[in-house]
Amino acid sequence: MANLAANFIGIKSPNPFWLASAPPTDKKYNVERAFEAGWGGVVWKTLGSEGPPVVNVNGPRYGAIWGADRRLLGLNNIELITDRPLEVNLQEIKEVKRKWKDRALIISLMVPCDEDSWKDILKRIEDTEADGVELNFGCPHGMAERGMGSAVGQVPEYIEMVTRWVKQYSRMPCIVKLTPNITDIRRPAEAAKRGGADAVSLINTINSITSVNLDSFSPEPMIDGKGTHGGYCGPAVKPIAMNMVAEIARSAETRGLPISGIGGVTTWRDAAEFMALGAGNVQVCTAAMTYGFKIVQEMISGLSQYLDEKQIGLNDLIGRAVPNVTDWQFLNLNYVTKAHINQDDCIKCGRCYAACEDTSHQAISMSADRVFEVMDDECVACNLCVNVCPVDNCITMVPMAKGTVDPRTGRKVGDYANWTTHPNNPASRAAE
Amino acid sequence: MTNSPLTPGIVPGRLPAAAYARNFDDHEPAFDMHEARVAADRCYFCHDAPCITACPTSIDIPLFIRQIATGTPEAAAKTIWNQNILGGMCARVCPTETLCEEACVRETAEGKPVEIGRLQRYSTDVAMAKGVQPFTRAARTGKRVAVVGAGPAGLACAHRLAVHGHDVVVLERRPKAGGLNEYGIASYKATNNFAAREVEWLLQIGGIEIRTGVELGRDVTLDQLKADYDAVFLGIGLAGVNALRAAGEDLQGVRDAVEFIAELRQTKDLAKLPVGRDVVVIGGGMTAVDAAVQSKLLGAENVTIVYRRGQEKMSASGYEQDHAVQAGVRIIHNAAPVRVLGGAKAEAVEFAYTEDGPGGLKLSSETFTLKADQVFKAIGQTLAGAPGGLAVEGGKLKGHAAKVWVGGDCALGGEDLTVTAVAEGRDAAEAIHAALTGG
């Protein structure tokens, strides 16, 4: 059984699976249940300034989209930061940390964008013995309207400024949580780094409307006939999150900045993918909210088995795929593949044919007795047939050996060559 | 007096009163909305889907399933009814495992096809519950068509003709419309009077008059109909029954299975319907299974189907055979009746084992005897009461003659299935429409 013990910016946890700052981590009761189930750490639900706590809506706060059999694919929420008094949260954090010394306990913070507010809250949390702080610059609803959350996260200068304050007034490790509701994730990450952040965590939730009620014409979740955009999360956002993690991991400016990966992590495999793209650990919320805390046990056993099978340690996994994330312009244009349909596995549904014939390159033939075959002289290897085929591995992409002739182009498959040197590229010609 | 499964002879009330409702309840419960959505989601929406090809009425199955998946079962039902106006009944009685579901690519992939029949039932049930006939008639053409036989073929033909604006008179020899849907299938396949409700719903289209108790040949002749109407459709089914041609066939207790099934279907209180203690059903088709299973459900102690050829030759589907066995029916293959034994009443049937060789079926010298106080003959129906002057081939009416079209079990071609009858009735209606409108 592989050792999953993780050390993320000096914060130790028995495994790299943390619960993200969210409803599941709002109080001692939930957090202790999570630790009992095996979670390596939690980021306590975001604390605000001292004083009367925020209030939440009293109608639905979650919306969702579903796949087959009502499998939850995406969730959104309009819940705000903790609506419990600061003192109660601080007391509970202290109790939990004392009892669960081996687990990571991070406090998420969100206070108004002025130095005193941050100085004050940092002082208040000092004696909780929590392991670190996470700055919530991501929450896209409600709090953003009050100049906090993603309203800060969308302005790199503010991120840098607040991070600087936090590092100035606290000795705790500082994680900056980023909003994906921006055009280029590298800018806020760079700002956090300049401000002295020990790590970034991403993604926070994405602005979204999950559905519209076609009888009442209100967005869901609906509050008295109205709706507002909520933060989207769950399996549906994972591809967006992974790209953002990878962009930060491979950028020259931010390379080496520790990343806590968040966004749709549901299984050990999701976690492994985030880590391969540079995340030092992962944070989970929606999967726990969908299935309960016990899912961490599958994550632990699955990741252990994978590491054992690969005969690598946890740290060997982190960032292992980063060198393979590149720009389009560096992709090998002489890498030629052709789709191949395994006739033994084919169940003759014809979806590949419909997809190729109607929407792509007319490269699949269909016989009267429903035999579907790829025409290599038409196939551009787009992969759509592979993606729509309901049978695993029935259609595969077979690379053509170097020196063979691509029947579509009539050209020999050559050595690596990319767009930067391609004759059709005006820039490459200009360079000549 | 209380009877039990052990009471000798043919007697009613073998079971506690409550058992009948339970035994004759829907044998395959309807999907609820969630189940239907989950089942619908399994459909791959195949290109030029094999299930459509396998359906005798060519229902656009992937489309109707997608319409269920997106929460519009009413639209799904319309898709079904466009091709098969008796889609509700076909959803219940079609041997889907040898038609659409056999062709389903998921049957190929994992041996578990999309449950097309149950999905069809779900959507047609939901839509029918609204009580609305989704089709409207075209402007009246003034043409009149006589349809003989209010079975699936006749009803499908009448509805399609009515849609095209023709006026239709349906002549039916029995007291009720519906044909085998009403009189000929096992009760648990179409519970809650479904056959009659479907007919009532179908007739909402208007322009169709049903005259029951009118028999071709007895009350009216084909020549009269040809003179009085612009066209005639014959969907008269197979009214005759094959004889056993074994000694003792006329003993008390020996009966045609179709007659028993019809009586059962029309019996309000099944506790009053007599059934034997030892029932023997001779035959290998759906009728044999329906008679045998229902005998068992009525409380017969021993029910045996005896079929003269091997299992692979049985025309009852594998699903039906399994259903019979699960209901406690014993199936004996490769044995043919030699004689029915008894005094005035049947007491047993003597069978000889058979050998099915290149020279045909041969009786071996080895025999056995089964106790039987009730014997059902289910060895096939034949064309009867067909008017003269029509071409007959292989015991069936062959194609169309002047002003006369044929379809359903009485017609040549296709299997004797409800769904085939619907397809033939519908297609005949289109041909009649083309002929009447100079197409």
Side-chain angles (χ1 to χ4, degrees):
Chain A
M1 182 99 170
N3 179 14
L4 295 184
N7 182 339
F8 185 74
I9 58 171
I11 303 169
K12 289 180 178 141
S13 58
N15 61 57
F17 308 118
W18 292 3
L19 283 170
S21 166
T25 61
D26 190 29
K27 54 187 187 292
K28 179 182 172 186
Y29 180 82
N30 304 70
V31 170
E32 291 210 276
R33 280 179 69 84
F35 285 160
E36 281 158 17
W39 289 89
V42 304
V43 183
W44 200 277
K45 185 168 166 83
T46 307
L47 308 184
S49 301
E50 190 156 15
V54 303
V55 296
N56 272 301
V57 293
N58 295 297
R61 43 183 98 166
Y62 304 117
I65 65 162
W66 297 273
D69 205 2
R70 258 180 95 81
R71 177 182 287 259
L72 193 140
L73 299 179
L75 186 74
N76 93 348
N77 82 89
I78 55 169
E79 183 170 299
L80 303 183
I81 62 174
T82 184
D83 54 11
R84 306 189 319 146
L86 180 63
E87 298 70 29
V88 174
N89 276 307
L90 293 175
Q91 181 57 36
E92 289 187 4
I93 290 169
K94 197 169 176 176
E95 286 167 23
V96 170
K97 184 60 204 179
R98 276 198 185 150
K99 189 166 161 194
W100 298 87
K101 286 191 169 31
D102 67 325
R103 310 301 171 94
L105 205 169
I106 315 301
I107 299 175
S108 172
L109 294 174
M110 182 197 290
V111 295
C113 220
D114 60 75
E115 194 167 350
D116 285 344
S117 295
W118 284 95
K119 188 176 170 183
D120 180 61
I121 190 71
L122 288 163
K123 204 165 157 191
R124 293 298 311 268
I125 65 169
E126 215 162 46
D127 72 339
T128 59
E129 293 169 51
D131 298 297
V133 293
E134 184 180 80
L135 314 187
N136 181 343
F137 295 156
C139 197
H141 48 267
M143 303 310 289
E145 295 169 14
R146 305 172 202 180
M148 292 179 267
S150 65
V152 178
Q154 286 166 339
V155 183
E157 292 75 11
Y158 291 171
I159 294 174
E160 183 178 345
M161 176 178 75
V162 176
T163 308
R164 221 178 272 289
W165 291 335
V166 172
K167 290 309 290 181
Q168 185 183 340
Y169 296 114
S170 167
R171 284 164 296 134
M172 285 177 160
C174 168
I175 305 167
V176 174
K177 187 165 180 178
L178 304 179
T179 175
N181 299 306
I182 40 86
T183 42
D184 185 345
I185 196 66
R186 293 173 299 185
R187 305 295 165 248
E190 288 161 10
K193 191 179 176 190
R194 282 196 303 273
D198 298 287
V200 289
S201 58
L202 69 158
I203 60 173
N204 204 309
T205 56
I206 304 172
N207 284 332
S208 62
I209 291 173
T210 49
S211 61
V212 175
N213 184 314
L214 290 176
D215 295 315
S216 64
F217 296 100
S218 55
E220 304 279 7
M222 180 276 284
I223 303 290
D224 193 22
K226 307 281 185 198
T228 185
H229 62 84
Y232 196 42
C233 54
V237 310
K238 178 186 153 200
I240 298 167
M242 290 210 299
N243 174 57
M244 291 184 166
V245 165
E247 286 301 292
I248 293 169
R250 76 189 185 96
S251 160
E253 285 71 29
T254 49
R255 189 170 296 148
L257 179 65
I259 301 168
S260 184
I262 312 171
V265 175
T266 307
T267 67
W268 73 267
R269 193 176 288 274
D270 300 326
E273 288 175 20
F274 268 95
M275 295 179 82
L277 285 173
N281 70 6
V282 293
Q283 297 184 30
V284 177
C285 172
T286 308
M289 291 182 74
T290 309
Y291 302 108
F293 289 141
K294 192 176 164 180
I295 53 160
V296 73
Q297 290 160 21
E298 167 274 316
M299 293 176 157
I300 290 168
S301 65
L303 188 61
S304 294
Q305 183 180 329
Y306 171 77
L307 294 175
D308 285 346
E309 284 168 6
K310 288 281 171 198
Q311 298 190 314
I312 57 173
L314 189 65
N315 288 329
D316 303 323
L317 173 62
I318 297 167
R320 207 169 171 114
V322 174
N324 295 328
V325 184
T326 185
D327 294 345
W328 191 98
Q329 62 181 331
F330 300 124
L331 296 175
N332 182 5
L333 295 174
N334 283 336
Y335 177 73
V336 181
T337 68
K338 298 290 173 187
H340 178 261
I341 300 172
N342 182 340
Q343 297 300 335
D344 291 337
D345 291 342
C346 177
I347 60 171
K348 305 189 187 304
C349 68
R351 279 168 60 159
C352 58
Y353 175 82
C356 192
E357 193 70 10
D358 285 355
T359 71
S360 296
H361 300 87
Q362 296 78 47
I364 294 178
S365 65
M366 174 181 176
S367 71
D369 58 344
R370 301 184 74 81
V371 174
F372 299 93
E373 284 174 308
V374 176
M375 296 179 277
D376 285 353
D377 56 343
E378 298 291 346
C379 178
V380 305
C382 73
N383 212 40
L384 182 63
C385 56
V386 173
N387 297 141
V388 302
C389 177
V391 181
D392 236 2
N393 281 320
C394 173
I395 310 181
T396 47
M397 279 294 162
V398 182
M400 294 189 70
K402 203 162 77 179
T404 54
V405 176
D406 178 351
R408 183 177 69 87
T409 59
R411 283 200 284 274
K412 269 190 184 173
V413 178
D415 292 323
Y416 171 90
N418 63 43
W419 176 244
T420 61
T421 57
H422 195 277
N424 289 17
N425 180 354
S428 91
R429 251 177 303 189
E432 279 172 358
Chain B
M1 175 215 76
T2 46
N3 290 322
S4 80
L6 305 184
T7 309
I10 304 176
V11 299
R14 290 182 180 275
L15 302 174
Y20 294 95
R22 191 172 61 240
N23 283 359
F24 287 87
D25 195 10
D26 228 334
H27 80 131
E28 195 173 57
F31 276 145
D32 67 21
M33 188 184 75
H34 181 74
E35 288 172 315
R37 294 243 190 136
V38 172
D41 194 79
R42 296 186 65 240
C43 175
Y44 286 144
F45 205 72
C46 293
H47 173 76
D48 189 13
C51 53
I52 305 179
T53 312
C55 173
T57 54
S58 306
I59 293 171
D60 191 339
I61 292 163
L63 178 60
F64 95 68
I65 291 179
R66 195 169 175 83
Q67 288 167 321
I68 291 173
T70 58
T72 53
E74 298 84 357
K78 185 78 192 292
T79 301
I80 293 161
W81 289 327
N82 278 335
Q83 292 296 111
N84 181 339
I85 197 64
L86 298 183
M89 182 58 86
C90 289
R92 291 163 165 78
V93 302
C94 262
T96 50
E97 70 280 6
T98 61
L99 299 170
C100 51
E101 291 179 15
E102 183 180 54
C104 177
V105 299
R106 295 200 80 145
E107 169 66 27
T108 316
E110 63 213 73
K112 197 169 177 294
V114 174
E115 293 181 85
I116 299 167
R118 294 182 78 184
L119 285 165
Q120 177 165 322
R121 174 168 172 192
Y122 167 75
S123 61
T124 50
D125 278 1
V126 168
M128 272 181 73
K130 308 223 152 168
V132 180
Q133 166 65 224
F135 296 88
T136 49
R137 294 190 73 190
R140 283 181 66 184
T141 61
K143 303 284 185 188
R144 296 175 71 239
V145 181
V147 168
V148 184
L155 290 169
C157 181
H159 185 272
R160 184 58 66 98
L161 288 167
V163 166
H164 285 313
H166 309 300
D167 289 325
V168 186
V169 173
V170 182
L171 308 175
E172 169 58 49
R173 68 186 172 98
R174 301 215 214 210
K176 288 188 194 171
L180 291 180
N181 289 356
E182 177 61 42
Y183 293 97
I185 53 161
S187 166
Y188 46 78
K189 290 181 188 168
T191 54
N192 297 321
N193 213 19
F194 182 78
R197 285 193 289 123
E198 191 177 43
V199 171
E200 197 181 322
W201 166 86
L202 179 148
L203 293 178
Q204 288 174 14
I205 184 73
I208 303 173
E209 181 196 341
I210 297 206
R211 294 182 193 159
T212 54
V214 181
E215 185 170 344
L216 185 66
R218 186 189 72 190
D219 305 310
V220 65
T221 66
L222 182 58
D223 286 340
Q224 272 175 293
L225 293 177
K226 282 162 75 173
D228 294 349
Y229 294 88
D230 296 298
V232 180
F233 173 77
L234 298 180
I236 57 175
L238 298 172
V241 180
N242 283 323
L244 212 50
R245 285 178 299 185
E249 184 169 0
D250 49 359
L251 291 184
Q252 245 182 63
V254 183
R255 193 179 183 194
D256 290 323
V258 286
E259 190 189 302
F260 166 69
I261 293 168
E263 184 185 356
L264 188 150
R265 283 292 303 274
Q266 302 307 315
T267 300
K268 292 261 180 298
D269 181 3
L270 291 172
K272 293 188 174 139
L273 187 68
V275 71
R277 173 181 178 178
D278 296 293
V279 176
V280 169
V281 182
I282 299 167
M286 298 286 197
T287 302
V289 171
D290 284 358
V293 171
Q294 294 190 110
S295 297
K296 192 75 194 168
L297 298 178
L298 284 172
E301 185 193 3
N302 298 304
V303 179
T304 312
I305 291 175
V306 184
Y307 178 56
R308 62 194 177 130
R309 298 183 194 273
Q311 190 197 357
E312 68 288 351
K313 296 261 176 76
M314 283 182 80
S315 64
S317 65
Y319 176 86
E320 289 290 331
Q321 293 178 46
D322 289 348
H323 181 232
V325 170
Q326 278 165 23
V329 173
R330 181 183 174 204
I331 304 180
I332 298 176
H333 303 106
N334 301 308
V338 178
R339 65 179 65 89
V340 183
L341 306 167
K345 294 179 186 175
E347 287 166 17
V349 185
E350 185 185 331
F351 290 91
Y353 284 107
T354 62
E355 282 159 14
D356 200 357
L361 204 63
K362 281 186 193 150
L363 295 188
S364 79
S365 56
E366 196 177 340
T367 63
F368 65 93
T369 300
L370 292 178
K371 261 175 81 179
D373 39 32
Q374 193 163 33
V375 180
F376 291 125
K377 299 181 283 180
I379 48 179
Q381 285 100 265
T382 55
L383 186 65
L390 295 173
V392 174
E393 187 180 308
K396 295 219 174 185
L397 297 177
K398 187 186 174 189
H400 137 81
K403 285 183 89 172
V404 180
W405 283 261
V406 300
D409 289 358
C410 70
L412 188 65
E415 291 175 84
D416 293 348
L417 296 172
T418 307
V419 64
T420 310
V422 172
E424 292 172 3
R426 175 200 71 194
D427 294 347
E430 291 296 344
I432 292 168
H433 174 65
L436 296 186
T437 53

